[in-house]
Every structure is written in structure tokens, then in C-alpha cells.
Amino acid sequence: MTHHTVEDVFAKLQKIFPDIKESEEKIKNYPTWSVSSGSLFKICETLKKESGFEYLDMVTAVDRHGKVNSAGYLTEPNPCVYSQNPSVVPSQSPAPGAGFFEIIIILTSFSMNQKLILVSRVDRTNPEAESLYPLFKSADWQEREVFDLFGIKFTGHPNLKKILTPDFIKGHPLRKDYVHKKDKFDY
Amino acid sequence: MGIILEKTPIILNKIPGGTIALTTADFFINWARKSSIWPLTFGLACCAIEMMAAYATRFDFDRFGVFPRPTPRQADLMLVAGTVVKKMASPLIRIYRQMPEPKFVIAMGSCADCGGPFYDSYSVVKGVDKIMPVDVYLAGCPPRPEALMYAVQKLQEKIGKMEIKENSGATAGQESGARREL
Ligand code: SF4
């Protein structure tokens, strides 16, 4: 069964998942809903099977760590960029566990001609989320990319390993507290 | 390419049916080499677009004897056009080693010179000269096709000064492959 407007879909979903709500900041004026990471998979499943959101545009993540404004930009210079001495962690950097990751999922419904953005917070100390791979095969590489660059573990992913960075780059470079260790090409 | 006779160490003598020319082996070999620089196109990023423009009709590299080759075994010159990321560095070195001597490298663009806009990036090799010897550095982001032509002319000047008596014209760095073993 398909709905005619995205508001109908939202109202229907809210009956099943009470924790879903409209996000305060809309991304690019698309309907943006914030959901809990525990129900993310089930919400996507419902959206796909019952509301016609059967195309996964993309999976990505944002690191909300430290002083970041609502658009996601750092409000002061990142102290961790390419530190010459990796053993010295800059004192003004935020505490390691502070902040959170946002997993951002964009779904498209071709029957409604509608894009939809789901935002889900995960903990920064042990980031984990359920993989969307059983629903959308295209989530495979995108979740590997998020894992590679942010270190978010997707449970249930069949082949969760690095995809972009070479093996000798340790750590997750798009984390705001990433400190680059010199490798064999940095001299 | 033609030869400017006034600038050439050459003795011309008329013989019945034509002219006989006597010149040095260095000049002759260098003339052949610099007039047929076949580059391996190594387009890695946005600079490759300018490199493609240089090959196309408006700038027409063919008139220099510069024909792009798709395989390292037929190439004399590696045109590193773009950002060399650390993941691409090993294939780059392997392809460089597959090229026959004498071989030359033009680092095209700021990225290949020194990392360019990615000078503090975690994933970019800050200059292709960290992994292989470079003959001509070409600045610009991206350099125009005219600048690439100028770089090739500089390389031709360099080839014109090579001598075969010691090491077939290759520099010491070229003989040993990469500047540093990785
Ligand atoms: S030098 Fe500039 S144009 Fe060339 S590859 Fe780098 S960023 Fe692109």
C-alpha cells in the first residue's frame, strides 16, 4: 500500500515507532526524521515494504565532536589536523567520548517522487548500528566506506572491512579526533 | 621533427644522387629520442583533463612526436597528471619499473609536485618525487596545455644533452628505479 504524501507515511510510522520525530534541522529541505539507532533497520524495512521507499540513495555519517555549528562545520581550527608529533594530543581537543556520530540515510520513493532523510545518533565510544544490507544490496560498499572513514560497525554486514584507505593507514580519518601517524610515504 | 642545420654538429657533402651527412652518435640518438617521446598517460585527477586537451586537435601534441601509449612497455615518458594517493603509489612504482630505459617523468600540476591543495592530507603522497625520480616539474592547478607543451620542450632540451658513453643516457636515479625503496 502506498501513501500519497510523506506526512501520511510519517503519521503511520509514528504509531508503530513512537521515538521517530521530525528533526530540528532539515537537510536540503527534504523531510528529515531523526530515529533511534535501535529502530533504524525496522523503520527502513517498513518504509521499503509498505511505503514504497525502495531505493537507497546513500548511507553516510557525520562526526559531531567538539565545537561544531549546526551546519556541521568546525567553529574553531581543528587541532588534530596532521599533527607533526602524534604522541602529543592537543589539550584543547574535546574529551574522547564527547559528541556523537550521526548516521544519515537517504531513501527515495519513485512512486511518490520523494526523497527522505533519516538521521540516527550513535554513541561515539562504541559506535554500532544495524546493517541495511539485508534490505538494500547497495548498502554494501557505502557501509564499508562509513566503517572505513568513521569506524562505525554495522552488525550483520557480510564483508565489513576497509574499502578506501590502504591497509597501512590506521584509524578512521574522518573522525574529528583523528591524528595522522606518519606512514612510509610521509617523509 | 626537422633539424636546424646551423645548430647541428653535422658535415654535409654532396654525392651523386643526393647528400651524405656525418654527425655524432649522441646527436643522432638524442634527436631520435626527443622527437618521439611517447608518454604513458597517467591521468589521476583533474590535471588529466588538461592533458587530454593537449592531445586533442586544438593543441595537437602529435606534431611534437608525442603519441599517448596505453602500455608502459611502449612508453618513454610517464606523465603523472594529478593527485598521487597513497593507495595508487604502489601501482605507480610498478608501472614505472615496467617502462624500458631511458625513461622520463613529468610531474604535472601542484599535486604531483608537492601535494598541492592536499599538503596536509592523510591520503596523498606529497609529491611524486618521493617515490620516483622526476625530470620536469610543472606548476599549476591545473597547468594549461601550453604549459604542458613547455614542459615537454624542456624535457627535449634535457634529452638533447644526454650522452650515451656512460649509462645509455639514464641518470643514476633512473638506473636504480625509485629514489627510495618502499
Ligand atoms: S594540481 Fe590542481 S588540477 Fe591538478 S590534480 Fe591537483 S588539484 Fe587537480
Side-chain angles (χ1 to χ4, degrees):
Chain A
M1 159 190 145
T2 51
H3 300 267
H4 289 297
T5 64
V6 72
E7 285 79 25
D8 294 347
V9 178
F10 183 75
K12 181 169 167 274
L13 268 183
Q14 212 165 23
K15 285 193 198 107
I16 318 172
F17 305 99
D19 55 350
I20 184 169
K21 57 179 187 296
E22 300 259 3
S23 183
E24 302 98 60
E25 28 172 307
K26 281 187 160 190
I27 299 175
K28 291 211 163 183
N29 268 338
Y30 292 126
T32 308
W33 303 345
S34 73
V35 303
S36 75
S37 66
S39 53
L40 183 62
F41 182 86
K42 291 225 170 62
I43 286 174
C44 287
E45 193 175 26
T46 316
L47 281 170
K48 180 185 177 186
K49 302 230 166 100
E50 293 176 18
S51 307
F53 283 90
E54 61 225 337
Y55 179 77
L56 177 71
D57 258 325
M58 66 173 212
V59 180
T60 186
V62 177
D63 187 359
R64 305 278 187 173
H65 178 58
K67 297 202 168 63
V68 184
N69 66 14
S70 64
Y73 293 105
L74 288 169
T75 48
E76 51 193 55
N78 187 349
C80 298
V81 168
Y82 204 68
S83 164
Q84 293 299 317
N85 184 358
S87 62
V88 180
V89 176
S91 57
Q92 70 267 42
S93 61
F100 49 87
F101 289 122
E102 275 176 353
I103 297 177
I104 295 175
I105 286 161
I106 305 186
L107 297 171
T108 299
S109 158
F110 292 116
S111 54
M112 284 165 66
N113 190 14
Q114 179 70 47
K115 269 191 209 297
L116 175 60
I117 299 182
L118 300 177
V119 178
S120 161
R121 287 186 182 190
V122 289
D123 188 25
R124 246 178 140 272
T125 42
N126 187 22
E128 229 178 51
E130 207 169 339
S131 169
L132 294 185
Y133 180 79
L135 289 179
F136 305 102
K137 293 280 179 285
S138 59
D140 184 353
W141 282 14
Q142 302 200 36
E143 288 181 349
R144 278 176 69 188
E145 183 183 348
V146 172
F147 167 72
D148 189 358
L149 300 175
F150 290 95
I152 299 174
K153 287 186 192 63
F154 289 93
T155 52
H157 191 285
N159 185 26
L160 195 65
K161 55 183 190 193
K162 277 164 159 294
I163 186 170
L164 291 179
T165 59
D167 290 338
F168 55 81
I169 288 187
K170 304 285 181 234
H172 307 289
L174 288 195
R175 285 191 178 190
K176 294 253 159 72
D177 57 354
Y178 172 77
V179 179
H180 185 73
K181 294 206 179 59
K182 290 207 168 190
D183 56 51
K184 57 185 178 176
F185 294 111
D186 293 318
Y187 62 90
Chain B
M1 268 194 137
I3 301 176
I4 301 169
L5 288 178
E6 290 77 32
K7 292 185 182 169
T8 308
I10 198 165
I11 298 168
L12 295 169
N13 249 324
K14 286 256 181 301
I15 56 165
T19 313
I20 194 165
L22 187 66
T23 184
T24 63
D26 271 349
F27 172 79
F28 186 70
I29 291 170
N30 288 347
W31 170 71
R33 271 184 189 155
K34 74 183 183 191
S35 311
S36 63
I37 299 175
W38 287 5
L40 175 72
T41 57
F42 219 90
L44 294 173
C46 10
C47 273
I49 304 293
E50 297 296 300
M51 181 189 70
M52 290 173 220
Y55 292 134
T57 39
R58 188 182 182 95
F59 298 97
D60 195 14
F61 249 15
D62 292 8
R63 65 205 156 102
F64 293 97
V66 177
F67 294 94
R69 303 314 295 174
T71 157
R73 288 163 224 287
Q74 299 172 355
D76 313 296
L77 164 68
M78 189 191 256
L79 250 175
V80 186
T83 320
V84 185
V85 293
K86 285 168 182 167
K87 206 169 187 179
M88 200 62 198
S90 327
L92 199 75
I93 294 169
R94 189 199 285 180
I95 287 172
Y96 179 76
R97 293 199 171 133
Q98 288 176 358
M99 285 165 59
E101 290 282 359
K103 52 194 171 191
F104 309 96
V105 175
I106 292 181
M108 178 180 183
S110 310
C111 284
D113 289 346
C114 60
F118 311 107
Y119 70 100
D120 63 351
S121 158
Y122 58 90
S123 63
V124 173
V125 180
K126 318 296 181 307
V128 70
D129 60 352
K130 290 205 192 299
I131 53 173
M132 59 179 64
V134 173
D135 294 279
V136 182
Y137 295 86
L138 176 55
C141 181
R144 284 189 58 92
E146 293 95 321
L148 184 57
M149 258 179 230
Y150 183 64
V152 169
Q153 283 173 358
K154 282 284 162 204
L155 182 64
Q156 286 179 334
E157 275 174 33
K158 180 171 183 171
I159 296 173
K161 291 182 191 133
M162 290 193 339
E163 291 174 2
I164 57 165
K165 66 173 182 282
E166 266 158 18
N167 46 17
S168 73
T171 59
Q174 287 169 338
E175 293 257 291
S176 67
R179 186 176 290 176
R180 203 188 110 192
E181 283 298 319
L182 288 168

